[in-house]
Amino acid sequence: MKAILFHNHGGPEVLEYGDFETPEPRLGEVQVRLHAAALNRLDLWVREGWPGIKLEYPHIPGADGAGEISALGEGVNGFAVGDRVVINSVLSCGECSHCQAEKDNLCREFHLLGETMRGTYAENSVVPATNLLPLPNEFSFAEAAAAGLVFQTAWHSLITRGNLQAGESVLVVGASGGVNTASIQIAKLKGAKVYVVGSSADKLSLAESLGADVLIDRSKEENWSKAVFKASERKGVDVVVDNVGAGSMPHSLRAANKGGRILTVGNTGGAKFEIDNRYIFGKHLSIIGTTMGTRADFAKVMGLVFEGRLKAVLDRHFPLREARAAQERLEAGEQMGKITLEI
Ligand code: ZN
């Protein structure tokens, strides 16, 4: 099969379009003929590598994918060759205490497709049948692939862990990234008032088109936690979604209401920063960290995506062989929404 491969860590230049042995499904697994993959920032971090990361080379990037079933392993029921499907990228053992409790994203053997396992920038991928969800007939492969990881992540953070309620206020730090655009939509669907801090007028107008109620441009309001305070009758917001980390977390702690929850699933701005502990105890704040989501979250949120109540924002579509240009676009931060690959 054709795939995007790399043999060592580095910049986009390490990505090669080449041939790799087509993986065959084993017991309980399914081979998917992929039609679309979507890029995530994770793909860049895996390509660059981090201390302790262990990959089997050549590695194939990509967590998100959608396509048609091309072969079934033994013991697979409920699916047939030709079925249209979207892939849940969280790979779990199904047996540990966390998996048994249906908290499969806490699995002791947790793997993520495209991170520590070969991923979806390829013509075929093999995953456990339990990682597939049927795709409605008319639903596009690219839109399904683009939605998967970011909506599952945002749903798990805001709803399953954050327990967001109708009538609460939510601040989303960042206006245009995949998880943030998903968070804005989920918060609106839940009946929350949504504040967004963004870095430019273009990105904020995207947030507004998704339903954001209060827009704060941090290129004009450097001290944006003050702006949030003013806009919320000097109370602050009930929930803050901060996936930026360094540079933003001190503001997020200040922008929260008493009893507020700070949700984080990542750190696009950097991992290490100072925290003023007085905000945490003085305002009774909860800091809630999560990564990815459970199988139940995936099924629930993708159902809403299939119904059209939630929608991935699509940026550009590249052919598989141009994955390097696609990653360069993501790395430069030029995208508005999800970049996808057509396979
Ligand atoms: Zn497990």
Side-chain angles (χ1 to χ4, degrees), residues 11 13 16 84 307 327:
E13 70 283 352
E16 293 168 21
R84 294 161 53 88
E307 287 171 22
Q327 284 203 354

mmCIF file of all heavy atoms in Angstrom, residues 11 13 16 84 307 327:
data_model
loop_
_atom_site.group_PDB
_atom_site.id
_atom_site.type_symbol
_atom_site.label_atom_id
_atom_site.label_comp_id
_atom_site.label_asym_id
_atom_site.label_seq_id
_atom_site.Cartn_x
_atom_site.Cartn_y
_atom_site.Cartn_z
ATOM 1 N N GLY A 11 12.082 17.547 10.983
ATOM 2 C CA GLY A 11 11.106 18.470 10.396
ATOM 3 C C GLY A 11 10.256 17.764 9.351
ATOM 4 O O GLY A 11 10.365 16.543 9.158
ATOM 5 N N GLU A 13 10.593 17.508 6.359
ATOM 6 C CA GLU A 13 11.385 16.851 5.306
ATOM 7 C C GLU A 13 11.616 15.364 5.555
ATOM 8 O O GLU A 13 11.979 14.637 4.634
ATOM 9 C CB GLU A 13 12.734 17.583 5.115
ATOM 10 C CG GLU A 13 13.738 17.435 6.260
ATOM 11 C CD GLU A 13 13.427 18.299 7.490
ATOM 12 O OE1 GLU A 13 12.514 19.147 7.410
ATOM 13 O OE2 GLU A 13 14.103 18.102 8.523
ATOM 14 N N GLU A 16 8.112 10.789 3.943
ATOM 15 C CA GLU A 16 8.269 10.254 2.585
ATOM 16 C C GLU A 16 6.977 9.601 2.157
ATOM 17 O O GLU A 16 6.309 8.952 2.960
ATOM 18 C CB GLU A 16 9.337 9.137 2.570
ATOM 19 C CG GLU A 16 10.735 9.583 2.859
ATOM 20 C CD GLU A 16 11.644 8.373 3.111
ATOM 21 O OE1 GLU A 16 11.290 7.246 2.669
ATOM 22 O OE2 GLU A 16 12.674 8.570 3.769
ATOM 23 N N ARG A 84 -19.167 1.499 5.542
ATOM 24 C CA ARG A 84 -18.498 2.791 5.754
ATOM 25 C C ARG A 84 -18.309 2.997 7.260
ATOM 26 O O ARG A 84 -19.249 2.820 8.026
ATOM 27 C CB ARG A 84 -19.361 3.921 5.183
ATOM 28 C CG ARG A 84 -19.516 3.895 3.663
ATOM 29 C CD ARG A 84 -20.730 4.721 3.252
ATOM 30 N NE ARG A 84 -20.701 6.068 3.812
ATOM 31 C CZ ARG A 84 -20.109 7.126 3.251
ATOM 32 N NH1 ARG A 84 -19.526 7.014 2.089
ATOM 33 N NH2 ARG A 84 -20.130 8.303 3.841
ATOM 34 N N GLU A 307 -25.804 13.811 13.026
ATOM 35 C CA GLU A 307 -27.097 14.511 12.947
ATOM 36 C C GLU A 307 -26.944 15.949 12.469
ATOM 37 O O GLU A 307 -27.946 16.636 12.273
ATOM 38 C CB GLU A 307 -27.761 14.550 14.341
ATOM 39 C CG GLU A 307 -28.330 13.231 14.803
ATOM 40 C CD GLU A 307 -28.775 13.306 16.273
ATOM 41 O OE1 GLU A 307 -29.029 14.417 16.790
ATOM 42 O OE2 GLU A 307 -28.846 12.234 16.904
ATOM 43 N N GLN A 327 1.352 19.231 6.635
ATOM 44 C CA GLN A 327 1.932 19.434 7.973
ATOM 45 C C GLN A 327 2.616 20.790 8.097
ATOM 46 O O GLN A 327 2.597 21.408 9.161
ATOM 47 C CB GLN A 327 2.913 18.308 8.307
ATOM 48 C CG GLN A 327 2.217 17.011 8.687
ATOM 49 C CD GLN A 327 3.111 16.110 9.526
ATOM 50 O OE1 GLN A 327 4.282 16.395 9.740
ATOM 51 N NE2 GLN A 327 2.561 15.010 10.004
#
